[in-house]
Amino acid sequence: MLKKVLFQLHWLLGISAGLVLALIGVTGALYAFEGEIMGTLNPEVLRVEVREAGILSPAELVGKIEAAQEKKVSGLWVDTQADSAARVFFTPPAGERRGPMRFFDPYSGELLAEPSGKAFFDLMLQLHRFLAMGDTGKQITAASTLALVFFCLSGLYLRWPRQALNWRAWLTLDWAKKGRAFNWDLHAVAGTWCLAFYLCASLTGLYWSYDWYRDGLTQLLGDAPAGQQGGKPGERRGGREPAPVGPPPSVDYSAIWHSLQEAAGPQLVAWNLRLPPVAGQPATVSYLLKDAEHPRALNQLSLDPLTGQVQRHERYDDKSFKAQLLASVYALHAGEYFGLPGRILMALASLSMPLFFITGWLLYLDRRRKKRALLAAKQAVTASAAGANWLIGFASQTGFAEQLAWQTAGQLQAAGIAVQVSPLARLNAAMLAQAERVLLVVSTFGDGEAPDSARGFERKLLGQALGLTHLSYAMLALGDRQYAQFCGFASRVQHWLGAALPAVVEPAFGAWPLLACDCLNLGSSGAPTFLVRLQAPAGSDWQAGDLLEVQPGNNPELGLREYSIASLPSDGVLELLVRQQRGTDGALGLGSGWLTAQAQVGATLAARVRRNSNFHLPQAAPPLILIGNGTGLAGLRSLLKARIAAGQRANWLLFGERHAAHDFYWHDELQGWLASGDLVRLDLAFSRDQSEKIYVQQRLRMAAEQLQRWVAEGAAIYVCGSLQGMAAEVDSVLRELLGDAQLEALQESGRYRRDVY
């Protein structure tokens, strides 16, 4: 329940505050590099000539500036170790809080021209802090900053993976995903990358948003005793209180300069003088030392503007660590606390803020679309009573499985069949005991996890042994093949239901003597590949396209190994094409090691034939396009042998391996079929025989015109070989050359079949 509430709040706030946060992020990233950008745009204005005489004293600077501008100076910011221009702040006009600012040459006191871009960055700051809307905008940005804290924490909770210690589950993005799955993955993974930066920016940004937050942070981190921090009770800071009224202060700049030099010493590299608006208040000088931890590790002097007498001296290095964090709140906010890399990373994270607004909206619109489709499907189903012929249960994370369940219910009702629909969360032992026919539409969330709504069902029922021997059930499992635990939750449900039904009697293993095991690719740069020949027991039979299940004798307790059969029963022998596999530790694979290295010729192997009807030849005799690589040639060879034996000669084979000299399996046989006309066309792709690698999918693209003609004449396409790489690339080329719609039509009609591993 908590997760559902957090999810609803997460997307509700996201589609409302997300746009404001996107604007805050972009403007903040730009403003953070104002100095560098302005310096690049205005090299003639903001870069000054360094002179041996050094920077003028404050008294000299103020005298020259006030004489030239005829305005009173209220503050100076000077960097003594760079060639950058200094800044002067003038006393604001009556009734205003801030006066104008100008750049000047600290070596001469000369006022510089107005740089281009200043108005732009002033606007960026106004948008970043106030949305350029004054106090109203400030309240909106403050509330949005609070929302960002909630997004970070709730998002972390909502995406917490079951394998929390697996860093890939947190930080890797699967670029192969599309649509909603990709948007969700991008939203979650990018959010994890940016999480620390957003928490840092939001928790420090609130310092300028709310007085109560600033007071609390000061009480928590400050070094002063409780009750002596945060100024006078009830004092409003950061707000829009009226400017103080009174006579201007009298200032002795020489005295201030003397006190600053005495306090800072020879390590002084930058200083910022701020004069009080009225007499009777202290002046403030913030200064930076050469060995400072970061550009905002400032020390601060409060002193009498007339006598220069120091009233308070706060040294950054004297503060406790928590008080240093408080003094560095802006440096943390902008990333300066961690140097230039920190600034860059914080800026990149800030620039990424619109990404979450966009992906969040796309996910929201997708949910809306699915909800409308679900509502339409529900409305098409009339109320059903207990004891209905069919019980349809669903477990859905995004709503798609639920939509399919209701659509199926509508179709069953239209056919006059009574149906009851229920989420898995509401199913109980009694409902399952009463049902005769059950259809489960089960979605797996992430890497094998149950959808949130079905976790209670998994805890309560999946561990129980229910008497469901009467039950006839079917299941539609939905998942993402990119995950290792593809349809993991659905598999657990199926295993639980299967355990309640009478066991299916599997055919027994037969004794298959090993007649020969010969390496076919001596000298190849690839793994050794063997032709394994077995004597078929009496009465055994198989069809072209079938598989042989072998029980490795080196570990009989593990699951079986399947291999495509390369021969026909009429050959009098069963042939396999087996490539030796090795693990990362160099150890031989279980099945391939047993067949090619450990089992001795003459020994008897435990094996049985498994029908692979999806890869059998079509009942008609259409032209056949066979595509494969490596040991996938075994399954294609059996199909070719069956076709040739039946007198069907419209056969086209595309085959790929590494080297023609070593890896051209059954070379003489294939060339003989080509010469006799039993094979119309043979396209070969030996990837390592030339400088530029060529693969079978490229050969297929080169033969695009003939492919399209064969398909138009009714040809069927059979693919056998590796799933990763070849099969996926061949599928992509077929879609490119034939179009998605035509390829799907071929698949539905049985004219596009694959046996991939």
Side-chain angles (χ1 to χ4, degrees):
M1 182 63 182
L2 173 62
K3 195 167 189 178
K4 185 175 181 180
V5 172
L6 287 177
F7 176 76
Q8 295 292 333
L9 287 174
H10 191 91
W11 73 256
L12 179 62
L13 290 174
I15 62 176
S16 55
L19 181 60
V20 176
L21 288 172
L23 180 62
I24 291 175
V26 172
T27 55
L30 290 172
Y31 189 77
F33 284 87
E34 176 198 17
E36 288 81 357
I37 297 174
M38 289 278 287
T40 302
L41 293 176
N42 303 273
E44 301 293 333
V45 177
L46 299 182
R47 290 288 178 263
V48 298
E49 180 185 353
V50 178
R51 305 177 188 180
E52 293 185 4
I55 291 173
L56 299 179
S57 68
E60 294 174 299
L61 290 174
V62 171
K64 289 179 175 292
I65 293 172
E66 288 186 344
Q69 196 69 13
E70 297 183 353
K71 292 180 180 178
K72 295 294 292 183
V73 169
S74 64
L76 297 171
W77 172 258
V78 179
D79 187 344
T80 66
Q81 64 175 353
D83 61 350
S84 57
R87 302 188 185 197
V88 59
F89 302 88
F90 295 102
T91 302
E96 297 186 14
R97 294 186 49 77
R98 295 181 181 275
M101 185 276 291
R102 290 286 301 273
F103 290 96
F104 69 94
D105 184 340
Y107 294 93
S108 66
E110 177 188 0
L111 290 170
L112 303 175
E114 189 76 7
S116 60
K118 182 177 180 300
F120 171 79
F121 283 103
D122 288 344
L123 175 61
M124 291 301 100
L125 180 60
Q126 286 296 313
L127 289 171
H128 184 73
R129 298 185 61 186
F130 310 114
L131 301 180
M133 296 168 58
D135 282 339
T136 301
K138 179 182 177 181
Q139 295 305 316
I140 296 175
T141 58
S144 299
T145 306
L146 276 177
L148 180 55
V149 177
F150 173 77
F151 291 147
C152 292
L153 300 180
S154 61
L156 181 65
Y157 176 78
L158 289 171
R159 78 148 307 195
W160 194 272
R162 179 169 292 182
Q163 298 177 337
L165 298 180
N166 182 359
W167 67 270
R168 293 184 179 274
W170 288 101
L171 301 175
T172 57
L173 180 65
D174 187 354
W175 295 98
K177 293 183 178 179
K178 298 179 180 179
R180 184 196 178 281
F182 179 76
N183 289 332
W184 188 92
D185 209 25
L186 181 61
H187 192 89
V189 173
T192 304
W193 279 100
C194 296
L195 179 67
F197 300 102
Y198 289 163
L199 277 175
C200 182
S202 57
L203 292 175
T204 52
L206 289 172
Y207 182 86
W208 296 281
S209 301
Y210 296 108
D211 289 343
W212 59 265
Y213 184 87
R214 181 167 52 253
D215 291 340
L217 201 64
T218 303
Q219 292 285 347
L220 178 67
L221 300 179
D223 283 338
Q228 297 183 22
Q229 300 169 339
K232 299 178 181 178
E235 180 183 4
R236 185 183 180 197
R237 288 159 299 158
R240 294 287 184 177
E241 69 272 12
V245 178
S250 299
V251 183
D252 186 338
Y253 290 102
S254 297
I256 291 176
W257 181 237
H258 176 76
S259 296
L260 171 59
Q261 289 182 308
E262 189 176 63
Q267 296 294 314
L268 178 67
V269 294
W271 50 272
N272 179 18
L273 169 63
R274 288 177 292 170
L275 297 175
V278 295
Q281 297 180 351
T284 303
V285 180
S286 300
Y287 67 91
L288 188 71
L289 298 179
K290 189 173 184 178
D291 58 353
E293 292 183 6
H294 56 80
R296 300 283 173 169
L298 298 171
N299 307 280
Q300 192 171 90
L301 289 171
S302 291
L303 39 75
D304 187 303
L306 182 58
T307 65
Q309 181 179 358
V310 176
Q311 299 174 355
R312 188 176 73 246
H313 189 184
E314 294 183 0
R315 292 182 174 86
Y316 181 87
D317 290 341
D318 292 342
K319 297 176 183 289
S320 64
F321 176 70
K322 60 187 181 71
Q324 288 180 349
L325 291 179
L326 181 63
S328 305
V329 64
Y330 182 86
L332 288 166
H333 186 72
E336 284 184 336
Y337 189 86
F338 306 100
L340 181 59
R343 291 178 65 201
I344 294 174
L345 291 174
M346 182 65 81
L348 291 176
S350 299
L351 287 173
S352 301
M353 194 72 76
L355 172 70
F356 302 98
F357 175 65
I358 294 170
T359 54
W361 260 98
L362 290 175
L363 292 170
Y364 166 72
L365 293 174
D366 181 73
R367 287 193 298 273
R368 287 288 302 271
R369 179 181 58 80
K370 288 179 178 176
K371 283 184 178 180
R372 287 195 297 269
L374 176 60
L375 181 60
K378 283 184 176 181
Q379 291 173 344
V381 179
T382 59
S384 56
N389 292 347
W390 279 85
L391 171 63
I392 300 180
F394 63 85
S396 182
Q397 182 71 23
T398 66
F400 184 57
E402 183 179 1
Q403 176 186 336
L404 291 178
W406 283 102
Q407 287 175 341
T408 305
Q411 293 171 348
L412 289 172
Q413 276 200 349
I417 300 174
V419 63
Q420 181 182 5
V421 182
S422 172
L424 258 61
R426 296 180 185 173
L427 289 183
N428 52 44
M431 294 174 66
L432 291 171
Q434 293 174 4
E436 296 181 3
R437 296 179 178 87
V438 173
L439 170 64
L440 299 180
V441 185
V442 179
S443 172
T444 293
F445 176 62
D447 195 11
E449 300 178 25
D452 295 336
S453 61
R455 292 189 178 183
F457 169 85
E458 184 174 26
R459 289 194 306 269
K460 295 175 183 177
L461 287 186
L462 253 59
Q464 295 187 26
L466 304 180
L468 302 177
T469 55
H470 68 289
L471 193 65
S472 176
Y473 77 92
M475 178 185 292
L476 172 61
L478 304 175
D480 189 339
R481 290 188 182 275
Q482 303 299 324
Y483 287 106
Q485 301 298 323
F486 169 63
C487 287
F489 173 61
S491 298
R492 295 194 294 274
V493 175
Q494 184 179 28
H495 181 269
W496 172 68
L497 287 171
L501 301 178
V504 177
V505 179
E506 295 282 357
F509 285 95
W512 297 67
L514 177 61
L515 300 178
C517 181
D518 301 313
C519 183
L520 299 183
N521 64 339
L522 292 172
S524 173
S525 62
T529 302
F530 291 80
L531 175 61
V532 177
R533 298 166 60 89
L534 301 172
Q535 179 64 56
S540 59
D541 192 24
W542 67 89
Q543 293 185 43
D546 282 343
L547 306 172
L548 186 71
E549 292 183 335
V550 179
Q551 177 65 69
N554 48 7
N555 196 335
E557 296 181 357
L558 296 180
L560 302 173
R561 296 300 187 267
E562 295 182 342
Y563 298 93
S564 296
I565 299 175
S567 58
L568 299 178
S570 59
D571 295 329
V573 65
L574 186 144
E575 294 181 331
L576 306 175
L577 192 60
V578 181
R579 191 189 304 277
Q580 251 184 24
Q581 302 291 337
R582 291 187 181 271
T584 55
D585 59 353
L588 282 171
L590 184 67
S592 65
W594 168 245
L595 287 173
T596 64
Q598 295 162 342
Q600 300 298 315
V601 173
T604 299
L605 278 63
R608 65 188 179 194
V609 173
R610 182 173 76 78
R611 288 182 58 82
N612 186 18
S613 56
N614 183 60
F615 209 62
H616 286 172
L617 289 170
Q619 292 183 354
L624 205 62
I625 303 172
L626 303 166
I627 308 171
N629 72 329
T631 56
L633 183 58
L636 302 180
R637 180 189 185 231
S638 67
L639 297 176
L640 273 172
K641 288 174 73 71
R643 293 265 297 182
I644 294 170
Q648 298 163 6
R649 310 180 74 184
N651 305 309
W652 175 11
L653 174 64
L654 298 98
F655 171 66
E657 248 290 358
R658 287 174 175 252
H659 303 284
H662 306 291
D663 305 305
F664 196 168
Y665 317 126
W666 294 300
H667 169 276
D668 294 341
E669 183 178 66
L670 292 175
Q671 293 292 358
W673 288 341
L674 185 63
S676 66
D678 291 318
L679 193 59
V680 174
R681 179 166 178 168
L682 177 61
D683 288 80
L684 301 171
F686 293 103
S687 60
R688 306 304 199 274
D689 281 352
Q690 57 282 314
S691 58
E692 183 178 353
K693 295 180 181 178
I694 297 178
Y695 298 99
V696 68
Q697 59 268 20
Q698 293 167 295
R699 293 295 188 201
L700 182 63
R701 183 181 283 111
M702 294 175 187
E705 185 176 346
Q706 188 163 357
L707 169 72
Q708 293 162 347
R709 185 170 64 252
W710 276 53
V711 171
E713 294 172 354
I717 302 173
Y718 280 62
V719 180
C720 189
S722 56
L723 172 62
Q724 298 297 329
M726 186 278 297
E729 292 296 330
V730 166
D731 186 83
S732 177
V733 171
L734 289 172
R735 292 182 183 278
E736 172 191 328
L737 300 179
L738 302 177
D740 290 343
Q742 185 174 11
L743 194 65
E744 289 168 8
L746 291 175
Q747 195 165 22
E748 291 172 1
S749 63
R751 290 173 56 197
Y752 177 38
R753 304 189 180 197
R754 305 198 305 171
D755 182 12
V756 294
Y757 42 86

